Amino acid sequence: MNDSSGTEVKMIAKGVYVTEYMKLGILPYEVKEPEYDEVRVKTMACGVCCWDSWLFRGVNAPGDMPYIIGHEGAGIIESVGSGVHDLKPGDKVFAASGSNEMMCEYFTVKRDCVVKLPDDTTDWASVVYEPTCCVVNVIEKSNIRPGDHVVLVGAGYMGQQTLMGLTRSTPAGKITVFAHNEKRREMARQYERAEIFDPDSPEGIAEIAAIKAKGGADVCIDFSARTSGLELADALTKQAGTLVIGSFHRSDITFNGTKWHLGGLRIYNTSPMYDAHYTEMIPRTYELIKAGIYEPEKLVTHTAYFEDAEGMDYLFNRAVDKKDDYMKGIVLFTKD
C-alpha cells in the first residue's frame, strides 16, 4: 500500500503475543500486503488451538518471546491480490491453513487457504472451522473400509468431532471409544453407533482384553494427546492394521519396533503437513459442515475479547487446565 506520494505505507495492527511464560500482551504487528494469489482478512474470531495453549507455556515456540500466535482465523476479506478473482473485499471467510499469526486484527494468507462463508454470517465463534478440516483429513487418511472395527482413544474437542465423522460419514462397522473424562464420555454417548468406555473401569478393562483376544481392531485413532493414549491405541491395533496418530505429542515417545515391523502396522501421522494437498480438504470440509456431518459450533465453551486482559488470561488458563468444563475457546475481535 502506497500513499499519494508513492511511498510505501506499512499496515500496523494489534496482535496477541505470548510475552513471557503464561502471559499475554497486545503488541503491534506488521500486516503483510497480499501478493498475487493472496487475500488479507480482517479478523473477527480466532480459535485457541491446543498448540496455542502450549505456546502460552513456551513449548514448541517459533523463537524467543514475544511471539504472535493463532492459526484458526475467520473474518472479512479486506483486500485481495491481483490474481484473486473469485473473492472480493467484504466477503466473509474462514481460514484453515497458511499462517500461524492469525490472532491479530488482520492476517494474510493464500487464496486456497480460505473458504467463503454466507453473507449473513454474524456468529463468528461458530465458524472457526480449521480444526474440523484436520479431523476430516485424519479420517480420510485412515482408509476406513466397510465393516472395519475402529477404536478412538480420546473424546475431547478433536475426538468429539472425529466421532461425528466416524458415525455419520464412514462405513465403519463397530466403533469403540475410550476416554477418561466422565463428562466427555457422556457427550460421546449421543452418537448411537459408538460404544463408550472408561479404559480404567472394570468394563473398559474387559473390553480392552476382548479386543486384544480377537486380534485387535482394524483402525485405531489416537486423539488423547497423552502418551498412555497412544500406547493404548498401539496395543489395540491388529496385525497389518492402521494406527493413526491424530494427536500432537510434544515430547519424545517410544514404541515397540518389533511389534510395528513384524506386525506390519501402517502408522499415519495425520497432521496437515502429512498431506501435500491439504488445502483441497478445506472446501470439502465445509461441504460436510453444511450437510450437518460436523457441528463444531456445539463444542465451543469459552470466548474472550482480545483486548480484555482478564478474560484472555482466564480463557488461556482454562485451555491449559481444562477446568470449568473447557472444551474449545475462541478469541473474538469484535464486540458485536
Side-chain angles (χ1 to χ4, degrees), residues 15 18 65 130 137 139 164 229 238 244 250 277 297 329 333:
V18 177
M65 297 177 183
E130 188 273 348
N137 194 53
I139 292 178
M164 293 176 187
K238 74 174 189 179
V244 182
R250 290 168 174 80
H277 302 283
E297 70 280 359
F333 286 77

Side-chain angles (χ1 to χ4, degrees), residues 22 53-54 56-57 315-322 326:
M22 296 189 74
S53 75
W54 284 99
F56 184 53
R57 289 168 278 179
L315 171 61
F316 271 77
N317 274 278
R318 298 296 78 77
V320 171
D321 61 29
K322 304 297 189 292
Y326 180 91

Side-chain angles (χ1 to χ4, degrees), residues 88-149:
K88 64 184 184 303
D91 284 344
K92 298 175 179 180
V93 298
F94 75 90
S97 187
S99 173
N100 291 318
E101 300 181 353
M102 294 188 192
M103 210 170 285
C104 180
E105 291 177 301
Y106 295 85
F107 62 85
T108 303
V109 294
K110 297 284 189 183
R111 161 62 186 93
D112 64 0
C113 295
V114 302
V115 171
K116 189 177 183 303
L117 293 165
D119 293 336
D120 61 355
T121 298
T122 57
D123 184 2
W124 291 100
S126 71
V127 295
V128 171
Y129 293 148
E130 188 273 348
T132 313
C133 296
C134 294
V135 166
V136 172
N137 194 53
V138 166
I139 292 178
E140 197 272 335
K141 297 304 178 186
S142 299
N143 297 317
I144 296 168
R145 299 169 300 172
D148 272 352
H149 180 191

